[in-house]
Amino acid sequence: MADAPDTVKKVLEVTDLVTHYGPRLILKGVSMSVRDGEIMVIMGGSGSGKSTLLRHLMVLERKTSGTVRLLGEDIDKLSARELNDLRKKTGVAFQGGALFSSMTVGENIMLPLYEHTDLDPMTMEIMARMKLEVVNLAGFEHLMPSELSGGMIKRAAVARAIIMDPKVLFMDEPSAGLDPAVSSSLDDLILRLRDAMNMSIVVVTHELESAFKIADRITVLDKGEILFIGTVEELRAHPSERIQNLLNRRAEDDTIDPDEYLSRLTGDTTVGTATL
Amino acid sequence: MASIGNFVERVGRATVAAVEEVGNGGVLVVQSLYWVFVGAQQRQPVRIASVFVQMMEIGIKAVPIIAMLAATIGMMLAIQSIYTLRIFGAESRVTIGIALSVTREFAPLITGILVAGRSGSALAARIGTMKINQEIDALHVMGINPVRFLVVPALLASVVMVPSLTIFSDFMGLLAAGLYINLELGISLAAYVSELQAVLHVDDVMHGLGKSMIFSVLIAVIGVVNGASVTGGAEGVGKVTTRAVVLSISAIIVTDMIFAFVATR
């Protein structure tokens, strides 16, 4: 499937990304890109490699080969300091929020400002309140993360992720574990962030409804390979049986390799690792 | 034959893992020193406020339990020493044994063990929980070095507070022993203090402080290395916390013996 044309400005480009987890091959030469100001949804079933891909996009893992260019910079060619500077232009909202439990919501949100700017505390507090307004959590800055609901934690995590006004926002399973109403309001928030702040947003999710609602384009991963990159309409109309199975939530009829199955049962991993 | 092979393999794996763990600890110390001295130039200074927060946790909040146990140890030493020396009719010479035992051995040891139990375990649990909750990843993606942000404040606080607590422990142990001696042998506190001044040298106190300095680094490093090695959920955090305490106390006792051997040559 064709990726973004070269004329379109890209904030993120991945080329032939290969990665292993121990002896297991996880990503098998993934290439994709994210355009400026678009919401790119990465989808796939469990074990498809979508979370691993996201960790590589966030520069949290060492890859085996391939290149990742973030905001035009090849991350392999950056010094630690340059990488840190680049990271200030990105934001991440983790699946579980990853708020620091020893800090209040307000302190969590202000932390990047406290660490990376010389702003006075009053200005930082005002900025934190502004971001809390954006995510509809105004007035909650004095609470501890343990006092928030699951949906509120995710919103607070988004507020922290956007406090430095990043150019690229990464979100890992924003709808996971939330009821439909809260999930829908988070989707609306993601759309607002793109429209109001012109952010490029990369969302990893397995929630089809959410993906179809927010995505400008969708990348579908399966077993460490890209099956599809394109718009929601192109995805719905795609003839591939594997993609239609994914959309219709049908389990694939995987053929079991008897040698591999036996080796897994007996604990001998040599057969399995050679093929993965 | 196969079982011997398995045994050798297990021993080999355990040895490699142990060497790796020691190496991780060494790297952590070097990285911590780097951030202490170079952090400000890298626009990532070590925050003094974070160090004071840790000093409060590791040091000030440990004062009551250190006071109680140091006093108990001092009194116990006085009881045993008087009992032993009475056999030779030399109980009036009890001060020298207590003075040297408390300052050179018991005060740094009991302080180290207590801080390992209180703060080493808390550090391992904190780092482990943060790792599982992706809070360490969150620091990375925010461009905040976790060693500078989490480890250095704990390490600096430990290096300052463990020797400080050891001095306090010296004082409490010797005071409690003096009170017991006063009650049991009728030796006044003034005479006891005067005798302490005569038998104790700066070297004896420094011997204890030198040890406590090493213990402080061991406690912090073992806590962090174990916390960072967590796998699984809450059960994993419990395991690494227990392991951190056991390893810290073991390391403290072994180091104490080696230090005593080397320092008395």
Side-chain angles (χ1 to χ4, degrees):
Chain A
M1 181 58 62
D3 197 3
D6 286 335
T7 51
V8 180
K9 187 184 172 192
K10 295 168 185 172
V11 292
L12 184 61
E13 285 180 271
V14 180
T15 311
D16 291 329
L17 180 65
V18 176
T19 179
H20 288 81
Y21 187 75
R24 285 177 58 207
L25 180 60
I26 305 295
L27 297 178
K28 306 167 185 173
V30 168
S31 297
M32 62 166 294
S33 65
V34 178
R35 297 168 184 165
D36 190 20
E38 79 168 350
I39 297 176
M40 167 63 88
V41 171
I42 300 172
M43 288 178 61
S46 297
S48 60
K50 58 185 189 299
S51 293
T52 304
L53 175 59
L54 184 67
R55 287 183 68 81
H56 280 280
L57 301 183
M58 298 187 298
V59 202
L60 283 173
E61 300 285 344
R62 286 173 190 270
K63 59 190 186 311
T64 307
S65 64
T67 57
V68 176
R69 295 181 71 86
L70 183 57
L71 295 168
E73 306 279 358
D74 184 343
I75 58 159
D76 289 333
K77 294 179 179 162
L78 298 178
S79 65
R81 190 169 166 171
E82 288 168 335
L83 182 59
N84 267 348
D85 287 341
L86 186 64
R87 278 179 156 148
K88 291 173 202 166
K89 298 173 190 168
T90 67
V92 179
F94 287 91
Q95 185 174 349
L99 298 178
F100 301 109
S101 54
S102 57
M103 299 179 186
T104 63
V105 171
E107 287 166 346
N108 263 285
I109 294 166
M110 285 188 288
L111 183 63
L113 294 176
Y114 180 69
E115 289 292 330
H116 297 310
T117 71
D118 296 322
L119 295 172
D120 62 278
M122 178 73 87
T123 310
M124 286 190 218
E125 280 176 27
I126 291 169
M127 288 181 71
R129 285 199 203 107
M130 284 168 61
K131 299 304 179 188
L132 282 170
E133 287 271 358
V134 171
V135 299
N136 292 333
L137 272 184
F140 288 82
E141 60 267 31
H142 300 301
L143 294 186
M144 300 302 285
S146 58
E147 296 173 286
L148 301 182
S149 68
M152 290 158 89
I153 285 175
K154 297 211 179 201
R155 285 173 178 278
V158 172
R160 186 177 67 184
I162 62 172
I163 189 72
M164 300 282 282
D165 293 329
K167 292 187 181 346
V168 184
L169 176 64
F170 298 101
M171 304 183 80
D172 189 8
E173 301 278 8
S175 311
L178 301 179
D179 65 61
V182 178
S183 174
S184 177
S185 68
L186 256 177
D187 292 341
D188 293 338
L189 170 62
I190 294 168
L191 291 168
R192 270 209 317 276
L193 289 175
R194 180 199 58 187
D195 298 337
M197 302 175 81
N198 194 35
M199 277 180 201
S200 306
I201 305 176
V202 180
V203 181
V204 163
T205 186
H206 63 271
E207 305 279 345
L208 288 174
E209 195 179 332
S210 172
F212 289 165
K213 182 176 174 182
I214 63 175
D216 291 313
R217 289 191 305 146
I218 293 180
T219 297
V220 179
L221 270 176
D222 188 37
K223 295 174 184 169
E225 292 173 313
I226 289 191
L227 281 188
F228 170 89
I229 299 176
T231 63
V232 173
E233 292 71 30
E234 287 168 345
L235 180 65
R236 285 187 203 272
H238 202 276
S240 161
E241 191 184 350
R242 283 165 82 183
I243 287 175
Q244 290 309 317
N245 281 344
L246 184 78
L247 297 183
N248 296 315
R249 298 184 185 280
R250 281 198 296 267
E252 287 203 21
D253 181 22
D254 277 343
T255 309
I256 294 173
D257 177 350
D259 288 338
E260 192 201 348
Y261 184 66
L262 184 63
S263 70
R264 264 193 279 146
L265 289 180
T266 56
D268 174 11
T269 57
T270 50
V271 177
T273 52
T275 53
L276 282 171
Chain B
M1 198 61 191
S3 63
I4 294 172
N6 286 342
F7 174 74
V8 171
E9 187 183 335
R10 277 205 304 275
V11 170
R13 283 183 192 278
T15 306
V16 170
V19 170
E20 189 182 341
E21 206 164 334
V22 171
N24 286 340
V27 168
L28 204 60
V29 172
V30 172
Q31 284 183 340
S32 299
L33 289 173
Y34 171 84
W35 286 112
V36 167
F37 293 112
V38 188
Q41 290 168 29
Q42 295 277 332
R43 286 177 291 172
Q44 292 214 33
V46 175
R47 307 281 180 188
I48 299 298
S50 305
V51 179
F52 275 102
V53 168
Q54 288 297 315
M55 283 167 72
M56 192 75 189
E57 286 296 322
I58 294 171
I60 306 302
K61 289 185 179 174
V63 165
I65 186 72
I66 293 274
M68 193 184 83
L69 287 189
T72 308
I73 294 276
M75 207 169 282
M76 178 270 289
L77 270 176
I79 294 166
Q80 289 288 6
S81 300
I82 290 172
Y83 173 79
T84 310
L85 291 171
R86 190 167 277 154
I87 297 169
F88 309 104
E91 58 264 46
S92 62
R93 304 299 300 154
V94 68
T95 309
I96 186 167
I98 291 170
L100 295 180
S101 301
V102 168
T103 55
R104 293 175 69 93
E105 205 55 55
F106 283 100
L109 197 61
I110 201 72
T111 304
I113 289 172
L114 268 172
V115 174
R118 273 189 86 253
S119 306
S121 59
L123 192 57
R126 182 174 167 226
I127 302 274
T129 306
M130 288 184 77
K131 193 173 178 197
I132 284 172
N133 291 341
Q134 291 189 296
E135 291 171 41
I136 305 285
D137 286 342
L139 286 174
H140 278 295
V141 298
M142 284 192 274
I144 300 171
N145 187 285
V147 174
R148 193 264 303 173
F149 188 77
L150 295 172
V151 180
V152 176
L155 187 61
L156 289 181
S158 185
V159 168
V160 172
M161 294 315 289
V162 174
S164 305
L165 286 172
T166 301
I167 293 173
F168 177 67
S169 191
D170 285 340
F171 174 77
M172 290 305 296
L174 292 174
L175 177 67
L179 289 173
Y180 182 80
I181 289 167
N182 175 253
L183 286 173
E184 183 73 14
L185 303 178
I187 298 173
S188 72
L189 268 181
Y192 172 74
V193 171
S194 170
E195 201 173 348
L196 279 181
Q197 286 174 329
V199 297
L200 269 183
H201 297 101
V202 174
D203 282 356
D204 298 317
V205 179
M206 292 310 291
H207 179 98
L209 290 183
K211 277 188 205 177
S212 66
M213 196 82 82
I214 297 172
F215 296 165
S216 67
V217 175
L218 286 173
I219 292 164
V221 169
I222 290 172
V224 173
V225 168
N226 276 280
S229 69
V230 71
T231 52
E235 192 185 346
V237 175
K239 280 181 184 170
V240 295
T241 305
T242 307
R243 190 168 183 273
V245 174
V246 172
L247 280 181
S248 296
I249 293 175
S250 305
I252 284 170
I253 292 171
V254 171
T255 307
D256 185 55
M257 185 269 289
I258 295 169
F259 193 98
F261 179 80
V262 172
T264 53
R265 289 297 93 185

